Amino acid sequence: MASSSDVTPSAGNTPTGPARRGRVRPRRAAVMAVPAAAVTAGLAILTAQGALGVQFAISGMPFTVTATELNGTGFAQFGGLDNMAEGSPNAGETGGQVLVVTSVIKDATLSKLCQSVDLGGTNLLITAGSGAKKVTATDLTTDSTELSGDAAFDNIEIGNDASTLDKAGPKGRGPIGVFSQQADTVRIANLRQTNYATTAGVFKLPGLKLRFSDSGC
């Protein structure tokens, strides 16, 4: 696979003029609504932003991630903003920011993992975990704009303040005042995500294959 008091943009992307602030404020307000919509739709997924978005500037190029099954222990999810590098050609009309759903899983396993990014006419394709050994990750964090699958949770809590989350460890805590959810375990079959960033403490990909392809995941 990589505000105001709610979310703090990275230093390189701090708004400097009134026009920039005007674009960012509505997104900050929307951060609290994104996870709620995801829960209502019965969708959930991996993790990022609060623990990830502030660590590096995203390229602004989305990538697709799929897996036949994801199983995890220690799950947290909340809204956030990812920031592109200053002057990124991918910023468009976004002001260099992308509203994301951040998901964190303390320990995760994935079957038949596929990741692809459209490079314009060809796709960079990565696959792993298609054999007997599954992909494993610790402190897996993803920033997503779209996600789908058949999800099941154990001991889920919905509506927490993101700063109080404790089931996914320290990296599973988000900004204060932001709507969030957490669960002891999560299982998602037929997982599909559109991501802007992914990080992990340890990421093991048995049977890794990287290649160019006419089609993505």
Side-chain angles (χ1 to χ4, degrees), residues 29 61 74 97 179 212 215:
M61 296 177 65
Q97 293 184 319
F179 184 99
F212 291 103
S215 59

Side-chain angles (χ1 to χ4, degrees), residues 22-169:
R23 287 195 296 267
V24 174
R25 282 173 180 162
R27 289 190 172 87
R28 288 172 179 158
V31 161
M32 287 180 266
V34 172
V39 173
T40 302
L43 307 178
I45 203 74
L46 317 176
T47 310
Q49 171 59 31
L52 173 158
V54 296
Q55 292 182 3
F56 62 82
I58 63 170
S59 69
M61 296 177 65
F63 55 96
T64 299
V65 175
T66 65
T68 56
E69 184 173 283
L70 161 74
N71 285 281
T73 58
F75 170 81
Q77 187 179 69
F78 45 89
L81 289 171
D82 277 357
N83 297 280
M84 302 177 204
E86 192 68 31
S88 171
N90 299 320
E93 297 298 320
T94 67
Q97 293 184 319
V98 178
L99 180 65
V100 296
V101 175
T102 291
S103 307
V104 182
I105 299 178
K106 186 63 178 174
D107 295 289
T109 61
L110 301 99
S111 301
K112 296 184 178 179
L113 175 69
C114 178
Q115 175 182 299
S116 64
V117 57
D118 187 349
L119 301 177
T122 189
N123 292 270
L124 178 61
L125 188 69
I126 296 173
T127 57
S130 297
K133 294 183 178 180
K134 298 180 180 180
V135 171
T136 60
T138 61
D139 294 327
L140 179 63
T141 299
T142 61
D143 286 359
S144 309
T145 54
E146 295 183 23
L147 56 92
S148 62
D150 301 313
F153 303 89
D154 285 334
N155 297 321
I156 191 169
E157 300 172 2
I158 301 172
N160 312 59
D161 186 296
S163 67
T164 67
L165 300 179
D166 57 8
K167 295 193 177 201

